[in-house]
Amino acid sequence: MDDKVRVDKWLWAVRIFKTRSMAAEACKKGKVSIGGVHVKPSREVRLNEQIDVRVPPITRSYLVTAISGKRMGAKLAIDFVKDITAQDQLDLLEATNTRGFESRDRGVGRPTKLDRRLIDKLKQE
């Protein structure tokens, strides 16, 4: 384990971001904050810090439980990070995922004009 690790490298190592460049870009765009302050990718991570990552429409919160700069498997990553996202944020995410969801059986094809009118009528209610 390392003593000092950049925040972008840590976010990548614990699998919050798929690539390190995506983590650095999120930091540059102000989507990553520690203690309410937006951080640069070069900011070093410390133990027991809360890192907030803005992933529209919610803000996910993580607690640093251990520090490592090497990417690890998902089963090992849970020892290095704890997800402490507030329940109201998770409820908001669930609501946005279920609202407006439409499904059609596979192989049915495009809706006909009549189907489209029925779908529009259901959406208005």
Side-chain angles (χ1 to χ4, degrees), residues 3-12 20 23-24 27-28 32-52 64 67-68:
D3 293 344
K4 299 178 185 179
V5 175
R6 295 168 48 115
V7 68
D8 63 337
K9 195 170 186 178
W10 185 84
L11 289 168
W12 164 76
R20 187 171 169 188
C27 292
K28 289 176 187 173
V32 178
S33 60
I34 297 176
V37 178
H38 298 295
V39 295
K40 292 181 178 181
S42 60
R43 162 81 154 66
E44 292 181 351
V45 176
R46 296 184 193 98
L47 284 176
N48 299 319
E49 274 188 327
Q50 178 179 337
I51 299 177
D52 298 322
V64 179
I67 296 174
S68 175

Side-chain angles (χ1 to χ4, degrees), residues 10-11 14 16 33-36 46-53 58-65 77-78 80-91:
W10 185 84
L11 289 168
V14 296
I16 294 172
S33 60
I34 297 176
R46 296 184 193 98
L47 284 176
N48 299 319
E49 274 188 327
Q50 178 179 337
I51 299 177
D52 298 322
V53 179
I58 67 167
T59 301
R60 292 194 168 272
S61 301
Y62 301 99
L63 184 69
V64 179
T65 55
I78 58 174
F80 290 80
V81 64
K82 181 177 180 184
D83 190 356
I84 55 171
T85 306
Q87 188 60 42
D88 63 329
Q89 293 285 317
L90 296 175
D91 294 340

